[in-house]
Amino acid sequence: MTKKFCLLAVLVLFWLSSAQVYGQDAEDAEDSQPKKVKLRLAQVTVSATKTERDPLTTPGEVSVLTQDYFQQRQAQSLDDVLRYEPGVASGDGPRTMGEGPNIRGLAGARVLTLVDGVRLNFQSGHKGRIFFDMDQLKQVEVIRGPGSALYGSQALGGVVAMVTKDPSDYLAPDMRYGMRQKFGYQYQNEELLSTTTLSARLTNQLEVMASGTFRAGENVRLGGDLGRLANSAQDTAANLSKLVWKPTPHDEAKFSIQATRQAAQIPFDTNSIAVPDIDPDTGLVTVPATSRIADRVNHQITYRLGYTHNNPANPYLNLQGFVYLTTLDITETQVNNRKRDDISFDTFGYDLRNSMNFGNLSTHHHIVTFGSEFFRNTQRSGGSRTASFPIGFGRSGPIFPPTGSRLYFPDAKSDVFALYLQDEITLFDRITLIPAIRWDHWRNETSGESTKSVGVLNPKVGAVIQVTDFLFLEANYAHGFRQPTFGDLFIAGTHFPGGVFVANPDLSPERSRNIDAGFRVKLPKVLSNNDQFIFKGAYFRNKLRNLISLEIATIFTPPRTVEFFFTPVNITNALIQGWEAEFEWRTLENVTLSGNYSQSHGTDETNELPLTNIPQKRAVLGIDYQYPAWGLTIGGRTQITGDQDRTVVVPGSAVQPTGGYVLFDIYATLKPVEVLLPDLPKSWGQGFQVNLGVDNLTDRNYRRHLSFLPEAGINPKVSVWHSINLP
């Protein structure tokens, strides 16, 4: 490991010293005089109301993460970005290709993920859904609790809204051309990273950029003395290209292409270890391990065209809209016989809205937003891997499916059309009321057969009262819903020997009614004139109806054949409740303390059983120190996670009691050229930055709840980048 770090450092310093051009980083264009650190909890939210708002006066719980925050983590996956957030967990790791967020005990298709407003709707089994690179992001917002009043289906548990970088993020105001080169390495999977970004301001109205990222990783090293996780290596190539045109000071059009290719040789179930089935009587292998492993390639491309118009002289026209097409192609080739699955999932849609601003701030003020959304999901499958083993047994013996019967992913299509309306009301500059309502109409079909068309109405209403200059009281009531996915409605047939799925096209959509209630505190001076303290605490209670779950029936056929039949069914009633608290305290000019705590409790009230998808209770504590004169930031985080033994144990699966654990992460960022070479022109060194970090500092062997596999061990990592701007 030491040799690799030294080699990487030498190469980067040689590249830097050989660059003989004028450089200036766009992010450091401002005078670098020491200034107060802006607290993360004081950032502006956009996703919570689809308008810019202070989170302190926004009903509901929302987190805003800027690129400075998650660049410190040198994020490889969305889990790296969200790891410290209250009420947010991740599952199906440590293979990043299968990871996905869990918000307040709801995961998968119950959490809506967006990139620049574009829906990532694909959801099936252990295939994952996050098919892009984290190095392209500049901001991530997390809505905890139902967001269906603005976002519709899949926002049952919450929303993760990601925003990608623009050309202006790489260009200083008075510069025309920019280049950024970034290199990185992390120990846990020996991953090498390279990102090259070119940007240009062709005219005062036209900016362009192209960014390419390459990651190459080996098998993941697990914590303790567990060694490496087999079949966890992954390669990624990603590109983000954008064109931004501003024909007037009030109009902006953006066209972007985002493409990602991921390649790995992994088990069909990414949350498993591929092992052979062995006959207990004869000791012979009945199903080889290689039959569970596939060469998988994910290829996703998103085309997006957006337009905004905002003229302050006309407060009644703040228009925003975009149209998009996302194509996802997944190819899985079984290692032992080279049979293949070809899956394609396309989403076409638009979102168009306008905000009107009127009223008097001293008495009452309104921001009324109304809009329309449409999206169509289309799924197709092909390839050579078809059912070749029994789907059941009759009197005359095993029953085989028709020749050529597909194992996975039926051809299907769904259309969703929606209208929504929201009013942000401010009374006497102290009371905020935000009601909203959305109507969704959706229809699914497969093989020429349609499910019943359904119209769903989802309201919400929230209030924030500023009791004093520092104390805010908050309450929020919101409905959520999720339409059944193609897998819920139509998937059928044998998916592994002894495992048969039975389709249920009569499923009802999942519904929820959630209440958040809490308080917020913002104190500008606690112990001195330089400190600032922000605290947020909330209790939530999410009542769920028609939650979709798998009903398992077991059939034994003599002499030794056991089959499991899985049928999606609606659970009539379920309840998830808990509470969250978080704080940030800038105790000195450049020292910040932070922390949060979250816990949830879930019950299947129909069967009086625990819900199995509830994450562990967790506390996070952190400290950050900044010294702007050196561009230095150092800090650390610790996670203290409790036991989760309130679950229904399913033998052989990840649904098991999970023990608690404590983790430590540390990091540092530095701009060393300004310190080591003070005589060098300032603009030459501003664009050079080094990020260092160590995750799981104590090499803890641990497993997260609902993950069958242990997590990665100690992970030292480093990234170095340099930006150059030219006039």
Side-chain angles (χ1 to χ4, degrees):
M1 179 180 70
T2 303
K3 291 182 179 179
K4 290 180 179 179
F5 273 105
C6 291
L7 178 60
L8 182 62
V10 169
L11 288 174
V12 171
L13 290 175
F14 174 79
W15 169 77
L16 174 65
S17 63
S18 63
Q20 300 296 320
V21 295
Y22 172 80
Q24 182 177 13
D25 181 22
E27 295 176 351
D28 297 293
E30 299 179 358
D31 189 350
S32 62
Q33 294 297 319
K35 51 188 176 182
K36 292 182 179 180
V37 179
K38 186 174 183 179
L39 297 184
R40 186 179 63 83
L41 294 182
Q43 301 291 338
V44 173
T45 177
V46 177
S47 62
T49 58
K50 295 195 175 184
T51 60
E52 291 189 357
R53 286 197 65 89
D54 182 348
L56 286 176
T57 62
T58 303
E61 304 307 310
V62 59
S63 300
V64 182
L65 310 177
T66 63
Q67 60 178 329
D68 289 339
Y69 177 78
F70 53 77
Q71 277 181 353
Q72 294 170 355
R73 287 206 47 75
Q74 302 177 60
Q76 180 198 27
S77 65
L78 186 60
D79 171 54
D80 288 338
V81 174
L82 303 178
R83 179 168 295 186
Y84 301 135
E85 293 311 294
V88 182
S90 182
D92 291 335
R95 296 184 179 99
T96 59
M97 193 176 280
E99 287 181 342
N102 179 312
I103 299 179
R104 293 180 171 179
L106 297 173
R110 299 181 179 103
V111 174
L112 177 62
T113 51
L114 306 168
V115 179
D116 294 331
V118 173
R119 289 174 172 264
L120 303 181
N121 281 344
F122 177 76
Q123 181 67 44
S124 185
H126 306 281
K127 295 290 186 291
R129 65 189 308 191
I130 312 299
F131 304 123
F132 64 93
D133 195 84
M134 299 297 110
D135 222 36
Q136 300 172 348
L137 298 180
K138 70 174 177 181
Q139 183 162 305
V140 178
E141 298 187 34
V142 182
I143 300 173
R144 305 193 298 274
S148 295
L150 287 180
Y151 293 98
S153 181
Q154 297 192 26
L156 188 80
V159 180
V160 178
M162 294 161 275
V163 180
T164 59
K165 297 174 183 175
D166 292 324
S168 58
D169 295 310
Y170 299 97
L171 292 167
D174 56 345
M175 294 291 156
R176 292 191 63 188
Y177 303 101
M179 174 184 174
R180 174 178 291 183
Q181 180 62 54
K182 178 179 180 180
F183 297 106
Y185 172 82
Q186 66 174 16
Y187 170 74
Q188 59 113 333
N189 62 342
E190 299 181 18
E191 180 186 83
L192 294 174
L193 163 69
S194 174
T195 298
T196 303
T197 304
L198 302 175
S199 54
R201 184 173 286 118
L202 301 180
T203 68
N204 290 334
Q205 291 79 35
L206 188 63
E207 298 175 350
V208 296
M209 64 167 283
S211 181
T213 298
F214 299 92
R215 296 179 186 266
E218 301 298 327
N219 287 339
V220 174
R221 289 184 173 94
L222 302 175
D225 57 357
L226 296 181
R228 293 179 182 264
L229 175 63
N231 303 110
S232 59
Q234 179 178 318
D235 294 337
T236 301
N239 172 267
L240 175 64
S241 298
K242 276 191 181 181
L243 183 150
V244 180
W245 180 42
K246 300 178 181 179
T248 75
H250 313 299
D251 295 272
E252 180 181 88
K254 286 185 184 180
F255 176 70
S256 64
I257 301 176
Q258 183 269 327
T260 304
R261 183 183 186 275
Q262 299 174 327
Q265 187 176 97
I266 59 177
F268 287 103
D269 179 355
T270 57
N271 190 23
S272 70
I273 299 175
V275 296
D277 288 346
I278 299 177
D279 189 304
D281 296 332
T282 65
L284 299 176
V285 174
T286 57
V287 179
T290 52
S291 67
R292 308 181 191 276
I293 300 173
D295 290 317
R296 182 187 299 179
V297 177
N298 300 332
H299 190 198
Q300 179 173 280
I301 304 178
T302 297
Y303 307 89
R304 182 187 185 275
L305 177 62
Y307 170 78
T308 61
H309 172 84
N310 183 14
N311 185 350
N314 184 359
Y316 307 114
L317 186 61
N318 183 354
L319 186 65
Q320 300 183 57
F322 60 89
V323 61
Y324 64 93
L325 171 65
T326 296
T327 64
L328 170 64
D329 295 295
I330 300 177
T331 300
E332 286 188 324
T333 305
Q334 195 167 320
V335 169
N336 67 332
N337 59 19
R338 308 312 295 173
K339 289 186 177 181
R340 193 179 72 210
D341 282 330
D342 292 322
I343 306 153
S344 68
F345 190 98
D346 301 340
T347 303
F348 167 78
Y350 73 79
D351 192 324
L352 179 64
R353 64 182 181 271
N354 181 57
S355 296
M356 298 187 299
N357 193 326
F358 56 91
N360 189 331
L361 282 174
S362 62
T363 56
H364 65 279
H365 180 250
H366 296 261
I367 302 176
V368 177
T369 301
F370 55 93
S372 170
E373 183 181 8
F374 169 83
F375 59 91
R376 168 176 289 178
N377 297 323
T378 305
Q379 179 173 278
R380 296 175 298 275
S381 62
S384 57
R385 200 166 74 96
T386 57
S388 58
F389 33 77
I391 62 172
F393 286 83
R395 294 181 179 179
S396 59
I399 301 173
F400 287 86
T403 302
S405 176
R406 298 296 310 143
L407 276 174
Y408 300 100
F409 303 101
D411 293 349
K413 182 177 72 173
S414 69
D415 288 335
V416 176
F417 175 76
L419 299 170
Y420 55 89
L421 175 67
Q422 174 186 262
D423 189 6
E424 301 168 65
I425 308 168
T426 303
L427 301 175
F428 307 106
D429 205 27
R430 286 281 182 174
I431 301 174
T432 300
L433 299 174
I434 304 182
I437 193 166
R438 172 169 167 143
W439 175 77
D440 285 78
H441 181 272
W442 60 274
R443 179 181 181 182
N444 288 322
E445 63 180 58
T446 182
S447 302
E449 297 182 4
S450 299
T451 63
K452 57 185 178 182
S453 298
V454 178
V456 180
L457 202 62
N458 289 288
K460 80 166 185 178
V461 60
V464 177
I465 302 174
Q466 187 174 355
V467 181
T468 68
D469 289 342
F470 62 87
L471 177 62
F472 303 78
L473 301 180
E474 174 260 344
N476 191 58
Y477 173 77
H479 284 206
F481 101 103
R482 178 180 80 91
Q483 67 184 69
T485 65
F486 295 151
D488 295 329
L489 293 167
F490 305 131
I491 195 168
T494 302
H495 287 247
F496 55 88
V500 182
F501 279 73
V502 180
N504 184 1
D506 296 323
L507 289 171
S508 298
E510 298 179 332
R511 305 297 301 272
S512 71
R513 296 181 179 181
N514 182 83
I515 297 174
D516 281 88
F519 68 97
R520 294 143 185 194
V521 174
K522 183 178 181 180
L523 293 172
K525 299 176 182 179
V526 181
L527 299 178
S528 71
N529 290 331
N530 294 321
D531 69 353
Q532 185 179 29
F533 178 79
I534 297 178
F535 176 88
K536 298 170 67 177
Y539 164 80
F540 67 90
R541 186 178 189 274
N542 198 4
K543 185 73 173 179
L544 300 151
R545 291 187 294 115
N546 297 326
L547 199 66
I548 297 173
S549 181
L550 283 178
E551 184 178 75
I552 304 175
T554 304
I555 297 179
F556 175 73
T557 304
R560 286 189 315 219
T561 302
V562 178
E563 288 188 297
F564 299 94
F565 288 82
F566 303 92
T567 305
V569 296
N570 288 116
I571 296 175
T572 305
N573 291 301
L575 176 66
I576 300 177
Q577 57 185 331
W579 59 282
E580 301 160 351
E582 56 184 326
F583 77 91
E584 274 190 294
W585 185 14
R586 188 179 61 233
T587 59
L588 300 172
E589 185 76 18
N590 297 309
V591 177
T592 303
L593 302 176
S594 61
N596 62 68
Y597 177 83
S598 55
Q599 70 174 44
S600 302
H601 183 280
T603 303
D604 171 0
E605 295 184 325
T606 301
N607 302 306
E608 294 300 325
L609 295 172
L611 290 179
T612 60
N613 55 341
I614 304 301
Q616 298 155 277
K617 55 181 177 290
R618 185 184 65 182
V620 175
L621 295 173
I623 184 171
D624 297 88
Y625 170 77
Q626 291 191 342
Y627 187 60
W630 289 10
L632 173 67
T633 302
I634 58 176
R637 298 286 186 277
T638 181
Q639 298 182 60
I640 306 169
T641 306
D643 298 339
Q644 176 56 286
D645 52 11
R646 191 175 181 275
T647 185
V648 178
V649 177
V650 179
S653 77
V655 185
Q656 303 285 335
T658 305
Y661 51 84
V662 178
L663 300 177
F664 298 93
D665 301 334
I666 58 174
Y667 70 90
T669 64
L670 178 65
K671 298 180 179 179
V673 176
E674 299 177 26
V675 179
L676 300 176
L677 301 172
D679 296 330
L680 195 69
K682 184 178 179 181
S683 59
W684 285 40
Q686 275 188 330
F688 183 75
Q689 180 169 312
V690 179
N691 296 332
L692 302 169
V694 182
D695 293 339
N696 193 359
L697 183 64
T698 59
D699 197 28
R700 180 66 184 263
N701 173 9
Y702 72 102
R703 179 180 66 85
R704 286 186 283 193
H705 188 55
L706 295 185
S707 180
F708 182 80
L709 302 173
E711 295 295 321
I714 187 170
N715 184 26
K717 49 189 177 181
V718 59
S719 64
V720 183
W721 55 261
H722 190 205
S723 292
I724 298 171
N725 273 203
L726 297 173

